[in-house]
Amino acid sequence: MTPRPHSAGEVTIRPVTLDTVREQVAETSRRLALEGLVLGTAGNVSARHGDEVAITPTGAVLAELEAEQVSVVDLEGRQVGGELAPTSEIDLHLGVYRRYDAGAVVHTHAPVATALSCVLEDELPCVHYQMLLLGGTVPVARYATFGTPELATSVLDALEGSSAALMANHGAIVHAKDLGGALELSLLLEWACTVYWRAAAIGEPRVLADEEREAVVAAALSRNYGTTHPVGDDR
């Protein structure tokens, strides 16, 4: 059968390849640096493609990362692509993929999130309805040395029921179905941390009660906002 020609204005949908995912990891890393959520080599990004994971390499300056520098590992952590070794936080990333069936993971040292991770004991309270996109209240994972199995276990436990967590005296982590979603959640988490910090400087922040959160979800569903950003707009 002869393929039919594309009509004017028709969009060609290209399959997502591993090379495309590596490009996305590099692009997301540079964007995080541009937004001030990572500095130098601190922080890491990954995205899953089937049974393989494209992940930032150890020691890479994220603001300058290029696709060919991105490492590729399988779900057991064996390197199958790229010349540079993967980040030391590889166990953390792979654990999120195995346990939560995520499509992308972003770990940052965002300044306000990191500052609050040094102060808050158990959680970042839900003080704004947009935090429901993060799961509402954001848990704080107990401290452990970076790159260790103990840190991975602590963070994975904290992420139960949440798409984001603060890492005590360390930083923040989010996961989503894709890198675009993970980037947006990283930006939202830093914004939420900033709102809480500024509110706490004025007085005791008022936390949204369960019924208030439920009302937001109901209102969002009734307006057909969809499942991607169900509470991100008050139109």
Side-chain angles (χ1 to χ4, degrees):
M1 179 182 295
T2 303
R4 66 179 180 84
H6 295 296
S7 59
E10 185 173 340
V11 177
T12 301
I13 300 178
R14 296 181 175 86
V16 176
T17 66
L18 182 58
D19 285 341
T20 301
V21 176
R22 293 175 77 190
E23 291 173 1
Q24 292 172 348
V25 168
E27 182 179 356
T28 300
S29 299
R30 296 194 300 269
R31 172 71 186 282
L32 289 167
L34 184 64
E35 296 285 351
L37 271 61
V38 297
L39 179 65
T41 63
N44 28 77
V45 177
S46 70
R48 182 172 177 175
H49 182 261
D51 292 331
E52 295 177 323
V53 174
I55 190 166
T56 49
T58 185
V61 177
L62 298 187
E64 303 170 357
L65 191 67
E66 297 295 337
E68 59 269 20
Q69 297 175 291
V70 174
S71 304
V72 181
V73 299
D74 63 20
L75 292 175
E76 298 304 317
R78 294 181 290 262
Q79 187 163 353
V80 296
E83 296 182 358
L84 302 177
T87 173
S88 61
E89 301 288 13
I90 185 172
D91 287 342
L92 175 57
H93 287 253
L94 295 179
V96 174
Y97 291 120
R98 297 190 197 106
R99 185 159 168 179
Y100 297 111
D101 195 30
V105 178
V106 171
H107 163 47
T108 71
H109 290 185
V112 183
T114 302
L116 290 186
S117 81
C118 298
V119 176
L120 296 175
E121 291 289 340
D122 301 311
E123 63 185 27
L124 171 67
C126 184
V127 295
H128 193 281
Y129 66 85
Q130 280 191 288
M131 290 181 66
L132 295 179
L133 291 169
L134 301 167
T137 298
V138 177
V140 179
R142 68 182 182 279
Y143 179 80
T145 305
F146 71 90
T148 61
E150 291 78 13
L151 177 63
T153 298
S154 173
V155 174
L156 290 174
D157 288 346
L159 284 171
E160 190 71 45
S162 179
S163 57
L166 298 182
M167 302 160 64
N169 300 84
H170 186 152
I173 187 170
V174 303
H175 67 84
K177 67 177 182 179
D178 56 36
L179 270 175
L183 173 61
E184 290 302 315
L185 290 183
S186 294
L187 293 168
L188 174 59
L189 178 57
E190 181 68 354
W191 174 83
C193 287
T194 302
V195 168
Y196 179 84
W197 161 54
R198 289 175 172 170
I202 300 170
E204 183 69 25
R206 194 181 75 81
V207 179
L208 293 180
D210 290 344
E211 59 269 21
E212 292 171 322
R213 303 183 209 183
E214 292 167 3
V216 170
V217 174
L221 292 175
S222 70
R223 289 166 173 76
N224 295 318
Y225 285 158
T227 57
T228 304
H229 296 286
V231 294
D233 196 338
D234 55 5
R235 291 173 294 178

